[in-house]
Amino acid sequence: MSDILLEAHQVTQYYGDGKDKILVLQDVSLDIRRDEVIAILGPSGSGKSTLLRIMAGLLNASQGEVRFQGQVQCGCNPHVAIVFQTFALFPWLTVYQNVELGLLNKTEPPADRRRRIIEAIDVIGLDGFEEAYPKELSGGMRQRVGFARALVVEPMILFMDEPFSALDVLTAENLKKELLSLWRNKKIPTQAILMVTHNIAEAVTMGDRIIVMGHNPGVVRIDMPGLPVEQREKDHAEHVRLVDYLYGVMTHPQDAALAFTSQLPAVRPSRAPSRAYQVLPHVAVGAMTGLIEHLHASGDRVDIPVLGEDLHMEVDDLLPLLQAIDMLGLGDIESGDAYLTPLGIEYAGADIQGRKQIFSRQARTIIQLIRQILTGLEAQRKVRWDDLRDSLEGCFSQNEAERQLDTAIAWGRYAELFAYDDEEGAFYLETPEAAI
């Protein structure tokens, strides 16, 4: 019997059509094997949840196919159960009745049904709460109901879409440990688990395999084995090293990722082939400045997981900020640390006008879209927003092209490089009169 239970083969997914057509996933191939937990990481917009739904049969791929035990999958896969980020419980039903929902499409004697429900409730730690309603339960207990409802159908594969992100830290840690204990001691019938997460430490702790996806469009950048179980505790040196490595990979989405070896690379890998435009991270200048000030106050260099904890920021919020200061030459990443460059240190110590001058110089030199706007303004009095959007749509969807322009407008205005008239939809050169 093959160890491969489920596989996506060259899956491509579009949303919308015509000019609004968005490429979400491109040629993604991924197999799920017996007796493994796969953790999928990736920035927002990388198609992680879309891939999960396609592999579960809840969504048809635009191109490519999904195979279950070697056969092309058609429709919803009855051997897959999903636990979602939101608890998705019916508030008018008891715990017992919410769990029972998983069995409504199955025909079996009432006694057997009740036994399975009670066993699922018991194994997930909810014994005694069968008649309680969701409003009587904590967030962690409500999520346990979600797990029980998924496990009661005795799925071959369990999918989890950020199942711990809505919980407080202590509750999430407890539930993760209990789930892993059930899995490793074979107390649940599931033969494989696929988990989507935005938490890098969580992926390292739980994953037998770790997938890192890129975005615009979603692709698989890394498919690597996880750490041996004995090295997955958070204070273990290898756990810390792998977390640092993954932060480095995700912070440089345009770089070719080097393999995780016995020594982390001291230098950044070579750049992947460049595209016509950079992908601007959608962050405000004020947030960038706040990050630079925090790094400067912390000695100009901070371990990225510690930085996230200090700022109470998840990776999806922190990474775009790190990418922005890296792109502008104000900061960088090395061996899992975020640090300020000499120019970033100068920026941190400057007054408002000094910061504007540094930002202006870097933006006009480095940011391709801003450079294109300024070049156009040097040749003519104004540049049309529509014309720029059309030029961007060769690289981005219409929606993303508009978001890229919005970010360029915000950065360019802060740097006083140009003015923008939203009603006319046109850029103008900044003048002393316009700045007053």
Side-chain angles (χ1 to χ4, degrees):
M1 185 182 300
S2 172
D3 282 337
I4 297 178
L5 301 175
L6 187 67
E7 57 183 325
H9 180 66
Q10 293 185 331
V11 164
T12 294
Q13 183 67 20
Y14 295 95
Y15 285 144
D17 51 34
K19 290 191 72 175
D20 294 329
K21 194 174 185 180
I22 300 172
L23 179 59
V24 180
L25 296 170
Q26 184 173 36
D27 294 329
V28 172
S29 294
L30 173 66
D31 58 65
I32 300 174
R33 301 167 190 163
R34 199 182 310 275
D35 297 326
E36 71 175 358
V37 177
I38 300 176
I40 300 183
L41 288 164
S44 295
S46 58
K48 304 184 297 294
S49 296
T50 298
L51 177 61
L52 182 146
R53 284 160 174 74
I54 289 173
M55 295 190 75
L58 300 177
L59 185 65
N60 292 325
S62 302
Q63 298 171 17
E65 63 184 19
V66 177
R67 302 169 186 153
F68 176 71
Q69 293 189 319
Q71 302 298 313
V72 175
Q73 177 173 281
C74 297
C76 186
N77 189 329
H79 302 284
V80 174
I82 306 179
V83 178
F84 294 101
Q85 174 183 356
T86 54
F87 312 127
L89 304 183
F90 292 96
W92 59 87
L93 299 180
T94 64
V95 167
Y96 182 97
Q97 291 167 333
N98 268 286
V99 175
E100 187 179 22
L101 288 175
L103 297 175
L104 289 184
N105 65 342
K106 295 183 179 296
T107 302
E108 59 184 334
D112 289 345
R113 177 185 295 236
R114 178 171 178 78
R115 174 188 54 77
R116 289 174 64 174
I117 295 168
I118 294 299
E119 285 179 355
I121 289 174
D122 183 45
V123 76
I124 208 65
L126 286 171
D127 195 18
F129 289 88
E130 293 86 352
E131 300 307 315
Y133 287 90
K135 67 180 181 180
E136 303 174 69
L137 306 177
S138 66
M141 293 179 75
R142 289 198 294 272
Q143 190 60 300
R144 287 175 188 269
V145 179
F147 275 107
R149 185 173 55 195
L151 294 173
V152 75
V153 300
E154 299 179 350
M156 185 177 294
I157 306 169
L158 179 64
F159 282 5
M160 303 192 298
D161 191 0
E162 301 195 18
F164 310 108
S165 62
L167 306 176
D168 64 84
V169 174
L170 295 178
T171 300
E173 288 299 314
N174 180 52
L175 191 51
K176 277 183 264 188
K177 286 183 179 179
E178 291 189 8
L179 178 65
L180 284 174
S181 177
L182 292 172
W183 162 257
R184 289 168 183 163
N185 292 308
K186 300 191 181 299
K187 296 289 183 67
I188 55 178
T190 304
Q191 297 181 32
I193 295 175
L194 178 68
M195 177 182 70
V196 167
T197 179
H198 61 263
N199 187 311
I200 293 176
E202 183 175 284
V204 173
T205 298
M206 300 188 70
D208 300 310
R209 264 171 72 202
I210 298 172
I211 310 294
V212 178
M213 296 190 68
H215 67 310
N216 292 324
V219 295
V220 174
R221 295 183 64 204
I222 288 177
D223 185 343
M224 63 175 289
L227 296 174
V229 173
E230 63 273 12
Q231 296 180 0
R232 296 188 195 176
E233 292 297 325
K234 286 191 174 181
D235 57 352
H236 195 284
E238 287 301 292
H239 181 284
V240 173
R241 203 166 65 84
L242 182 51
V243 168
D244 286 346
Y245 164 79
L246 292 171
Y247 265 108
V249 168
M250 292 181 65
T251 310
H252 296 112
Q254 303 306 314
D255 289 352
L258 294 181
F260 180 71
T261 59
S262 57
Q263 295 294 323
L264 283 177
V267 297
R268 181 167 327 162
S270 60
R271 292 273 178 182
S274 61
R275 53 196 294 167
Y277 294 94
Q278 300 143 317
V279 181
L280 300 183
H282 303 300
V283 297
V285 176
M288 274 190 266
T289 299
L291 174 62
I292 290 169
E293 289 175 342
H294 181 85
L295 287 170
H296 189 53
S298 303
D300 300 323
R301 188 181 190 103
V302 181
D303 180 70
I304 297 177
V306 173
L307 181 63
E309 292 177 3
D310 289 346
L311 299 176
H312 304 289
M313 297 181 74
E314 297 289 356
V315 64
D316 277 0
D317 299 317
L318 181 58
L319 288 183
L321 287 169
L322 292 171
Q323 290 163 8
I325 66 170
D326 173 29
M327 182 178 290
L328 290 163
L330 304 175
D332 208 338
I333 307 294
E334 182 181 64
S335 301
D337 291 350
Y339 68 92
L340 294 181
T341 62
L343 187 61
I345 295 171
E346 181 183 344
Y347 182 94
D351 60 15
I352 294 175
Q353 290 306 313
R355 289 176 175 181
K356 277 181 174 283
Q357 290 171 6
I358 293 171
F359 193 95
S360 174
R361 184 171 66 248
Q362 295 302 100
R364 72 161 55 240
T365 303
I366 295 170
I367 305 304
Q368 294 159 302
L369 181 52
I370 289 177
R371 202 162 61 234
Q372 179 180 346
I373 294 169
L374 293 174
T375 300
L377 290 174
E378 289 171 1
Q380 53 192 350
R381 190 176 67 85
K382 64 183 178 181
V383 173
R384 304 288 305 177
W385 186 91
D386 288 343
D387 293 338
L388 284 169
R389 184 194 59 192
D390 291 344
S391 71
L392 286 170
E393 286 181 7
C395 292
F396 304 100
S397 67
Q398 181 176 357
N399 180 64
E400 181 58 28
E402 292 175 357
R403 294 188 72 204
Q404 290 289 311
L405 272 172
D406 288 343
T407 299
I409 289 169
W411 291 11
R413 279 173 164 170
Y414 171 79
E416 300 180 25
L417 292 173
F418 50 71
Y420 176 70
D421 186 325
D422 186 58
E423 290 186 2
E424 188 181 0
F427 295 83
Y428 297 89
L429 280 174
E430 182 71 85
T431 63
E433 293 79 12
I436 294 175

